[in-house]
Amino acid sequence: MKQQEVFRAMADPTRRAILKRLQGGALSAGEIGALFDMTAASLSHHFAVLKKADLVRTERRGRYIVYSLNNSVFEDLARMVFDLFPLKENPPRGSSGGKR
Amino acid sequence: MKQQEVFRAMADPTRRAILKRLQGGALSAGEIGALFDMTAASLSHHFAVLKKADLVRTERRGRYIVYSLNNSVFEDLARMVFDLFPLKENPPRGSSGGKR
DNA sequence: GCAACATTTAGATAATTGTCTAATTATCTT
DNA sequence: AAGATAATTAGACAATTATCTAAATGTTGC
């Protein structure tokens, strides 16, 4: 699991925006491009980072390359986050380990 | 909420390691320093990033400055992650948007 | 108040990252 | 196969980031 890749990918606002757009369903590189004020080349670079982190998947559809969220990695990401923090809200110093 | 700061802070492996160490309880800057092969100055920089993201809090205790996790931001982070991904595994194209 | 200690801040440098333009690859249509 | 379209790759450059050394700040104990 590429923890580093995932966190790195999420660190850029453009990439997070791309992920957010993809929530609405798969989009081609060009369609995404139309939504951002940036060259196709720059976006392509962002796609590469997202792909390396396994956050998106691609499928060629004729002339288009279609991007979609890879939801399975979402679980991993959630796990990472939970793993990085203790499980309790704000342990008032007396409560011994609660549930999960 | 400083979404950008939080994600940026999490993007560095040293910082994630610091967070992980703090799970075991609060530690002074020096104690943390003993765990990493890096100058105190460099670590201090990482502390600053973590603080700016509100992921840790500090308290001066005499000569020491003690760092601890700020668990409340954990919730925010979880929310961000959940917000960034749809809730369903792999919406089969026909299902109209579910709850929340 | 001075010396020792713990940590941060300042300033410099090397590595990484985000963006661009130009060139390349892949696909479709005729 | 040639031309048009969609996207990626290559190469360059500016901005950001991580790290270091040296200096400064804040705290304790004599």
Side-chain angles (χ1 to χ4, degrees):
Chain A
M1 215 303 165
K2 311 148 190 164
Q3 179 154 345
Q4 177 55 29
E5 304 299 337
V6 174
F7 279 116
R8 169 165 137 48
M10 305 277 286
D12 184 87
T14 299
R15 288 194 289 266
R16 289 198 305 277
I18 292 171
L19 292 175
K20 207 131 184 43
R21 291 291 189 166
L22 289 177
Q23 277 188 40
L27 292 172
S28 72
E31 288 172 321
I32 297 172
L35 302 168
F36 292 88
D37 190 21
M38 190 176 290
T39 66
S42 297
L43 278 172
S44 193
H45 162 255
H46 286 304
F47 297 152
V49 175
L50 289 170
K51 242 179 117 173
K52 195 164 161 199
D54 231 29
L55 287 163
V56 301
R57 274 175 293 150
T58 64
E59 181 201 353
R60 186 174 268 278
R61 274 197 168 233
R63 269 192 282 203
Y64 304 86
I65 293 183
V66 173
Y67 284 87
S68 55
L69 284 186
N70 180 5
N71 300 102
S72 77
V73 173
F74 160 61
E75 276 183 55
D76 297 329
L77 176 58
R79 224 188 314 281
M80 284 184 224
V81 170
F82 280 101
D83 188 53
L84 222 39
F85 282 83
L87 296 158
K88 301 188 272 170
E89 302 302 81
N90 214 348
R93 183 163 68 253
S95 70
S96 68
K99 58 198 269 221
R100 193 187 172 328
Chain B
M1 217 299 165
K2 312 150 189 163
Q3 179 154 345
Q4 177 56 29
E5 305 298 338
V6 174
F7 279 116
R8 169 163 137 49
M10 305 276 286
D12 183 89
T14 298
R15 288 193 289 266
R16 289 199 306 278
I18 292 171
L19 292 175
K20 207 132 184 41
R21 291 290 188 168
L22 289 177
Q23 277 188 41
L27 292 171
S28 73
E31 287 171 320
I32 297 172
L35 302 168
F36 292 87
D37 188 22
M38 190 175 289
T39 66
S42 297
L43 278 172
S44 192
H45 162 254
H46 285 305
F47 297 152
V49 175
L50 289 169
K51 243 179 117 174
K52 194 165 164 198
D54 231 29
L55 288 163
V56 300
R57 272 174 295 151
T58 62
E59 181 200 353
R60 184 174 270 278
R61 273 196 169 233
R63 269 193 281 204
Y64 304 86
I65 294 183
V66 173
Y67 285 85
S68 56
L69 283 186
N70 180 6
N71 301 102
S72 77
V73 174
F74 161 59
E75 276 184 56
D76 296 331
L77 176 58
R79 225 188 313 282
M80 284 183 224
V81 170
F82 280 101
D83 188 52
L84 221 40
F85 283 84
L87 295 159
K88 302 189 272 168
E89 300 304 78
N90 214 346
R93 184 168 63 255
S95 69
S96 68
K99 55 200 275 224
R100 196 193 166 327

